[in-house]
Amino acid sequence: MATASLTIDLDAIAANWRALDRASASGVQTAAVVKADAYGLGVAPVVRRLAEAGARRFFVAAAEEGVAVRRALGPGPQINVLSGHMAGDAALIRNHDLTPMLNSLDQVTRHLETLPGHPFGIQLDTGMNRLGMEEAEWEAAAPFVLEASPELLMSHLACADDPDHGLNEVQLANFRAMTDGTEVPRSFAATGGILLGPSYHFDLTRPGIGLYGGRPYEGAAPVVRLSLPVIQTRPVATGEPVGYSCGWIADKPSLIATVQGGYADGIIRSLSGRATLWAGDVPCPLVGRVSMDLITVDVTHLETVPETLDLIGPHQGIDRLADIAGTIGYELLTRMAPRLNRVLLGAK
């Protein structure tokens, strides 16, 4: 097979959810964030496995994503939409029983007028300055919004992956000031917030990246493996170039493997000449440019060239590869292209 294989361990995702559920304070519900097609890994199999593990509440970015989750799970689990109630969303929200997290007075007005009595939550801005009602707006809206019985009040931490950042405590104080006494269930912590401790947990935690094996959850079980098939090997003499723009020139006689995989598969160009692939336990340097479909790898030191080389695997997880690329694990996961051959472990 000439297509790179992305192996996705659904049991590892379930184990990570259970571990973060245990890390959440006693009596706290643990949801699961499955936006962006479950961080690029395929929302339908991921949410089904999480539901089997015990998750009963899911967060998505947009109503259309919520529809995909509902189709995968059927009735029952609650699906919260982080972008709230956008113009034109009413039919999707109603027909698929979605719970929008309303972010502004405009959204509150739209929701209460178009879907009176339909469940909703409220997102508050406590210092991230991205989504949610700010303090003055919430103070003005709270009396009539609370009368309409929101199901959840939430906010989002900007610096939870840095436990010592002063904004964490500032946001916590702001969240308490805006929500204490409302008697509405509250949510503040995603993966990083869970790790900050019980004072951040409130009534509901909502882990995301930690489910998929990424930082800041250092104890996460690895979830993905990306194996690239070797198409061809060729000897390259000293002084000969390899790849576009003569991106690498051999300084000794070398054996170069041309491997199927490139930026069309989500392997970003900034890995050119910097990444390492693995033949079992043996590292093999990527040489030259990452192109659309192909990568070239120095395998001179191997006794036998295997059929595949691993870019992500036991020796190099998503965060290590992201460090090399100058980005974060979130981006590498969500860039995984549809043409990758997805192999699901633990699918029922």
Side-chain angles (χ1 to χ4, degrees):
M1 181 175 290
T3 305
S5 292
L6 180 67
T7 301
I8 302 164
D9 190 338
L10 299 175
D11 287 340
I13 294 175
N16 289 335
W17 182 85
R18 287 192 294 266
L20 289 165
D21 181 42
R22 290 192 298 270
S24 299
S26 176
V28 173
Q29 183 184 12
T30 304
V33 179
V34 294
K35 61 185 180 178
D37 196 31
Y39 286 52
L41 301 185
V43 74
V46 168
V47 296
R48 290 185 186 122
R49 188 66 186 87
L50 286 168
E52 289 171 2
R56 302 302 295 163
R57 195 166 188 161
F58 299 87
F59 284 77
V60 296
E64 291 84 353
E65 292 184 350
V67 171
V69 176
R70 180 63 70 205
R71 286 174 175 164
L73 293 179
Q78 188 165 12
I79 302 167
N80 293 82
V81 180
L82 293 168
S83 62
H85 187 151
M86 300 292 289
D89 281 353
L92 294 179
I93 291 170
R94 179 187 62 243
N95 296 341
H96 298 279
D97 190 21
L98 309 179
T99 304
M101 301 303 300
L102 308 179
N103 292 291
S104 65
L105 283 173
D106 287 344
Q107 287 199 352
V108 169
T109 301
R110 179 182 299 124
H111 187 76
L112 296 183
E113 289 182 352
T114 59
L115 294 175
H118 188 94
F120 70 96
I122 296 290
Q123 187 160 189
L124 303 170
D125 176 35
T126 55
M128 191 174 190
N129 287 308
R130 194 175 65 168
L131 274 182
M133 294 188 193
E134 295 186 1
E135 184 176 6
E137 187 180 23
W138 172 238
E139 186 176 345
F144 69 88
V145 170
L146 294 174
E147 189 174 327
S149 301
E151 299 202 346
L152 186 70
L153 302 178
M154 68 163 280
S155 189
H156 193 56
L157 286 157
C159 301
D161 56 347
D162 181 358
D164 297 323
H165 200 290
L167 186 57
N168 293 325
E169 292 186 1
V170 170
Q171 285 194 259
L172 178 61
N174 290 343
F175 188 58
R176 287 194 173 280
M178 295 169 76
T179 61
D180 280 353
T182 60
E183 299 183 0
V184 178
R186 295 179 285 182
S187 178
F188 196 40
T191 300
I194 293 172
L195 303 177
L196 289 177
S199 62
Y200 289 83
H201 295 175
F202 293 92
D203 302 290
L204 175 95
T205 60
R206 43 181 210 280
I209 189 63
L211 303 179
Y212 310 102
R215 294 174 186 151
Y217 182 31
E218 299 292 351
V223 169
V224 297
R225 185 173 194 146
L226 182 59
S227 302
L228 312 181
V230 176
I231 300 174
Q232 185 180 15
T233 58
R234 71 176 61 247
V236 175
T238 302
E240 284 193 312
V242 172
Y244 282 122
S245 302
C246 301
W248 182 81
I249 297 175
D251 60 5
K252 63 180 184 299
S254 302
L255 183 65
I256 301 300
T258 300
V259 177
Q260 180 74 39
Y263 52 75
D265 300 289
I267 302 167
I268 58 181
R269 269 182 103 244
S270 61
L271 291 169
S272 297
R274 301 169 63 188
T276 300
L277 287 82
W278 294 80
D281 296 328
V282 182
C284 302
L286 188 160
V287 296
R289 299 279 182 88
V290 174
S291 59
M292 183 180 291
D293 308 301
L294 301 171
I295 291 171
T296 44
V297 182
D298 187 352
V299 293
T300 309
H301 55 300
L302 298 182
E303 293 184 9
T304 302
V305 179
E307 292 184 355
T308 62
L309 296 170
D310 287 341
L311 184 61
I312 300 173
H315 298 287
Q316 183 167 259
I318 57 170
D319 291 311
R320 174 58 185 146
L321 188 62
D323 290 342
I324 296 167
T327 183
I328 55 176
Y330 298 75
E331 182 179 10
L332 294 188
L333 282 176
T334 56
R335 278 178 174 264
M336 297 295 179
R339 78 175 181 181
L340 293 173
N341 175 41
R342 281 168 163 74
V343 179
L344 300 179
L345 304 182
K348 305 298 183 182

